[in-house]
Amino acid sequence: MTTTLRLSLLAASVALALPAFAQTTGYPQPTPAMQAIIDKDISRHFGDAPADAGPLASDLSPELTPAAIDKALRKVADWQLARSQPYFSRIWTESVMYTGFMAASEATGDTRYRDAMLAMARHYDFQERDRLPNADDLSIAQTYLDLYFQEKNPGMLRLTKAEMDDLLPLATLKPNDPRIPWWWCDALFMAPPVWAKMFKVTGERKYLDYMHLNWKRTYDLLYDKEEHLYARDASYKDKREANGRKIFWSRGEGWVMGGLARVLDYVPADDPQRGFYVQQLREMSEKLASLQGADGLWHAGLLDPKTYPLPEVSGSALFVYGMAYGVNHGLLDGAKYRPVIAKAWAGILKNVYADGRVGNIQQTGAEPAFYRPTSSYDYGVGGFMLAAAELKRMAHGGVR
């Protein structure tokens, strides 16, 4: 089959997925396969996508002032905490949300969010959900470590450190699994911050060296040096969108941007590898800024926004988080990126509902997909809270 014919068939299949509903709403409905993922996510209490979520918020300002940002952050955090607390677990979707609650607590000074995280961690005895945890299962330890920084109780890290020490000698994901430990780009948000924070706690270089080694292996496997974006995993390197462009998924790139922001605080200024992460942040930020939509946001398929007409807020929020971190720490040019950030934040707030729901968050998956504007999931709200907390820091003048 020729490339032209294959792309024509792909475009036709996408067109079939855009029923008459799309003509009246301006966006496509999920395909049956996509809806099956949505239904599963709802059943697991990650979030939902009702037909009607009520009115959008009319009381939020896009001004980048501490008071305006704080109001939006509290509104969203309060709604999400009340909604999700009965279903707390150790799965990755919620561990991302937990990082957001920790950031929200620090940014607002409201200890309720942090106290809820401490109660959750104690309930699970500060333990991961699986033996020899992969990146997703290790991600909850970001919150365990952040709580340790406040409590200074070594017992909080005993089990996590033991698991990480067992992972150290493994060159692959697990015994008899040939994949590298972080074989998909999402893993760069989930795992590296745990290793960087453990280095901070212990002072033991082995944890930082493990992070450097395995991030570089993921970079070598997945980073597109022409596009300055990551393939979601190796299987996507040869796949194409309906328009023939490469597939780069907004949330996948968001995970990398968020991961960069979450490790740079812990890589010493004199570390020979620090420049690698700074360069990644700069290259990806420049590329993403060039793809920003007129509404300030990015779409699920970054290089094919026409096929995915709705904005995608989880990826957009993580982009704001990473760029704001870069500006706050003098790694990105504020004159260039502050307007990008401000435009994106204004667009994100247009997706917040009156009750605090954050909409236009794509369901779980590994590639661009269709969803309703009301679609809201815990990990995407975690990204929103991280972005808001970093923006509030920016509004206070950054941390330089």
Side-chain angles (χ1 to χ4, degrees):
M1 182 183 294
T2 66
T3 300
T4 300
L5 178 58
R6 184 170 61 84
L7 292 175
S8 296
L9 291 173
L10 178 60
S13 68
V14 171
L16 290 173
L18 308 182
F21 180 83
Q23 300 175 14
T24 59
T25 62
Y27 61 89
Q29 281 236 60
T31 65
M34 294 172 190
Q35 187 60 49
I37 295 174
I38 293 169
D39 293 342
K40 184 176 180 180
D41 286 352
I42 293 172
S43 72
R44 300 175 80 181
H45 305 290
F46 298 168
D48 60 13
D52 184 3
L56 291 165
S58 60
D59 60 341
L60 300 180
S61 168
E63 292 183 7
L64 293 182
T65 63
I69 297 166
D70 191 86
K71 183 175 182 178
L73 177 52
R74 288 175 181 270
K75 185 184 191 72
V76 168
D78 287 349
W79 181 83
Q80 188 64 44
L81 184 62
R83 171 186 211 232
S84 60
Q85 194 165 16
Y87 307 107
F88 278 176
S89 73
R90 291 175 289 181
I91 199 165
W92 69 267
T93 68
E94 298 193 355
S95 65
V96 174
M97 175 181 64
Y98 300 155
T99 67
F101 279 131
M102 291 298 291
S105 183
E106 180 181 1
T108 63
D110 193 330
T111 60
R112 290 182 302 118
Y113 312 130
R114 178 262 187 194
D115 290 347
M117 298 303 94
L118 183 58
M120 175 277 300
R122 285 173 172 164
H123 175 76
Y124 292 114
D125 196 24
F126 293 85
Q127 189 170 23
E128 287 68 47
R129 69 193 292 261
D130 195 16
R131 180 80 180 92
L132 294 178
N134 65 14
D136 284 348
D137 290 338
L138 188 62
S139 60
I140 195 171
Q142 293 190 46
T143 296
Y144 296 165
L145 281 149
D146 285 343
L147 290 166
Y148 169 84
F149 288 140
Q150 298 179 9
E151 299 286 312
K152 301 295 194 240
N153 179 355
M156 292 178 167
L157 301 184
R158 177 179 59 85
L159 296 172
T160 295
K161 188 175 185 299
E163 289 287 2
M164 295 172 72
D165 287 343
D166 286 344
L167 290 172
L168 275 169
L170 299 181
T172 61
L173 185 65
K174 287 189 177 184
N176 302 316
D177 188 329
R179 293 174 296 179
I180 61 174
W182 304 336
W183 58 268
W184 71 116
C185 73
D186 313 32
L188 297 180
F189 180 96
M190 307 298 167
V194 179
W195 293 90
K197 290 170 188 279
M198 188 61 77
F199 163 71
K200 175 70 173 180
V201 169
T202 65
E204 296 183 54
R205 181 80 197 190
K206 62 183 181 182
Y207 299 111
L208 197 60
D209 288 343
Y210 180 96
M211 183 189 80
H212 289 334
L213 171 66
N214 286 291
W215 191 305
K216 186 61 162 56
R217 293 172 77 189
T218 304
Y219 167 88
D220 289 340
L221 179 66
L222 301 181
Y223 191 63
D224 188 313
K225 295 180 181 179
E226 294 180 355
E227 296 288 358
H228 290 166
L229 297 169
Y230 276 79
R232 193 272 176 179
D233 59 60
S235 72
Y236 284 87
K237 294 169 76 170
D238 295 324
K239 293 180 180 180
R240 295 294 182 268
E241 296 281 16
N243 65 359
R245 302 290 300 278
K246 295 176 182 178
I247 296 177
F248 292 109
W249 180 38
S250 64
R251 189 159 68 240
E253 310 308 321
W255 291 135
V256 182
M257 287 286 286
L260 288 165
R262 294 185 70 74
V263 303
L264 276 165
D265 271 346
Y266 303 98
V267 179
D270 61 353
D271 189 303
Q273 300 299 317
R274 182 175 173 82
F276 167 76
Y277 300 99
V278 173
Q279 184 64 18
Q280 285 268 280
L281 182 65
R282 289 173 175 165
E283 288 182 359
M284 293 186 70
S285 294
E286 183 171 8
K287 178 65 176 187
L288 291 166
S290 75
L291 299 174
Q292 187 176 32
D295 61 355
L297 303 181
W298 291 264
H299 299 249
L302 288 175
L303 303 188
D304 190 8
K306 289 185 178 179
T307 296
Y308 308 95
L310 289 177
E312 205 291 300
V313 169
S314 64
S316 297
L318 289 164
F319 298 159
V320 168
Y321 173 47
M323 290 181 191
Y325 178 91
V327 171
N328 284 341
H329 289 78
L331 305 176
L332 296 178
D333 180 4
K336 178 177 180 178
Y337 286 100
R338 283 177 186 272
V340 176
I341 292 166
K343 186 176 181 180
W345 182 242
I348 288 171
L349 290 185
K350 290 179 181 178
N351 291 276
V352 178
Y353 286 77
D355 59 1
R357 168 189 293 269
V358 181
N360 270 321
I361 296 172
Q362 184 188 324
Q363 62 272 12
T364 61
E367 62 187 6
F370 305 142
Y371 43 86
R372 284 176 168 165
T374 60
S375 178
S376 186
Y377 298 98
D378 47 13
Y379 47 86
V381 179
F384 177 98
M385 291 188 283
L386 289 171
E390 198 64 40
L391 283 177
K392 190 172 180 184
R393 191 171 289 115
M394 177 186 288
H396 280 300
V399 293
R400 293 172 61 185

